[in-house]
Amino acid sequence: MDYLKVLNEADLGLGVVSGLELLTLPQGKQLRQDIIERCYCMKVFVMVTTLTCGKVTERAKMLSQWIQIAVDLRTTFGNLFGFASVMEGLTSEHITRLRDTWLILRRNHTSSAFQFDTKLKSAYKSLMDGSGLLPLQNVSIPDIAPLVFLLERDESSLTDYLPWELSDQNSGLDILLIHLDTARLITAQCGLYKVTAENVMKTVKFEDLISDVFQTEFHLRILWGAKGATVERTERQKKYEQLLAVLSNRAEAPEDDGTAV
């Protein structure tokens, strides 16, 4: 909420006081770049904490914990942006291919698995493809990721398909228009999001150590190190995808049919 200025509004120039409005303007390029960085870091953090667990039962427990975090982000805090970032990690190919882990999750953590299968996946899909109405009530931060990725698209990223383009290539243009229209609705409702955020934060007790874990700067340092974090984003992300593939295959071999548990 801090870097988006949802709560602590400030003069951002051009008569804009909220980051939710700034990110839709040409002058908000740096903010959009920061948001893209945070999306990727959060997604990878979910994956790394899961894939580095030594035992399948530990991975299943970690999955369950992330699922509960996703539930809280969506329902308790109304942070759809954070919810979508966590879900992107949970639904990534490197995680969904872990058959043994998901079997153990459904056996040992039935409630989490049920929530993920019946509620979270459909909610995440509706955010990505714009198939649901933009929620206004009980939302502190709307899902701004699709809009940000669209606005920052250039010639070098045209072949990097977004989630909804991979799932339904025939509806890509319609969904694009929906996300652009969503931007208009978000900027018109900045005041409502601020009120909701203020009410949510009244119930939150901060612990500095825990809060730091969810900072983008912390993720950059722990994922890439001080030097690696300064490398151009596309290059370091490409190399990290290779590392994630190795971690996923080490957790469960490609030939694993999911019957080892």
Side-chain angles (χ1 to χ4, degrees):
M1 293 184 186
D2 289 338
Y3 65 94
L4 285 174
K5 302 301 180 185
V6 175
L7 272 178
N8 302 317
E9 294 182 344
D11 184 6
L12 304 175
L14 306 171
V16 174
V17 295
S18 173
L20 293 177
E21 186 175 0
L22 179 63
L23 65 84
T24 66
L25 302 175
Q27 292 81 0
K29 183 175 181 61
Q30 184 58 55
L31 177 59
R32 292 193 294 271
Q33 289 292 320
D34 293 343
I35 291 172
I36 290 174
E37 191 76 79
R38 179 161 182 78
C39 287
Y40 187 79
C41 284
M42 194 68 235
K43 177 187 76 170
V44 172
F45 191 60
V46 172
M47 298 165 67
V48 169
T49 53
T50 303
L51 294 174
T52 53
C53 292
K55 299 180 180 178
V56 64
T57 52
E58 294 173 350
R59 287 197 299 276
K61 183 178 180 180
M62 182 62 70
L63 272 184
S64 176
Q65 291 173 336
W66 278 116
I67 288 172
Q68 290 306 311
I69 289 174
V71 171
D72 287 339
L73 285 170
R74 176 172 173 255
T75 57
T76 305
F77 298 104
N79 185 349
L80 299 183
F81 170 58
F83 164 74
S85 296
V86 171
M87 285 298 295
E88 188 173 358
L90 292 174
T91 58
S92 64
E93 181 181 357
H94 297 310
I95 297 296
T96 55
R97 62 168 294 277
L98 304 177
R99 297 185 180 183
D100 290 346
T101 303
W102 287 98
L103 284 172
I104 294 296
L105 175 76
R106 292 183 170 90
R107 188 178 73 185
N108 295 354
H109 309 278
T110 307
S111 176
S112 293
F114 179 78
Q115 288 178 307
F116 182 79
D117 290 333
T118 61
K119 297 180 180 180
L120 300 188
K121 287 199 296 186
S122 59
Y124 174 60
K125 181 179 182 300
S126 68
L127 289 176
M128 289 297 99
D129 60 21
S131 59
L133 296 175
L134 176 67
L136 297 176
Q137 301 298 323
N138 303 319
V139 174
S140 58
I141 303 179
D143 182 25
I144 53 179
L147 172 65
V148 168
F149 278 99
L150 283 173
L151 293 178
E152 284 300 296
R153 216 168 197 180
D154 54 25
E155 295 83 358
S156 63
S157 59
L158 284 176
T159 57
D160 298 332
Y161 294 111
L162 298 168
W164 65 83
E165 294 173 320
L166 291 172
S167 62
D168 189 357
Q169 297 181 5
N170 295 325
S171 302
L173 182 58
D174 291 336
I175 295 174
L176 183 150
L177 294 175
I178 290 173
H179 285 310
L180 292 179
D181 188 53
T182 297
R184 177 183 59 81
L185 296 174
I186 288 175
T187 56
Q189 300 297 334
C190 289
L192 180 58
Y193 295 131
K194 179 184 177 181
V195 171
T196 303
E198 289 174 339
N199 291 332
V200 168
M201 297 309 291
K202 290 177 182 178
T203 64
V204 176
K205 294 182 179 179
F206 284 101
E207 294 185 20
D208 293 339
L209 182 61
I210 300 298
S211 299
D212 287 345
V213 172
F214 291 94
Q215 296 296 322
T216 305
E217 293 78 8
F218 174 85
H219 292 165
L220 286 169
R221 292 194 301 269
I222 197 171
L223 293 174
W224 285 281
K227 292 183 178 179
T230 62
V231 177
E232 198 276 325
R233 186 175 70 239
T234 303
E235 180 181 349
R236 56 182 160 81
Q237 288 183 0
K238 182 178 180 180
K239 292 182 178 180
Y240 216 88
E241 288 296 329
Q242 296 173 347
L243 174 61
L244 289 169
V246 172
L247 289 175
S248 182
N249 289 333
R250 188 179 69 177
E252 292 184 24
E255 62 272 11
D256 185 357
D257 61 1
T259 60
V261 294

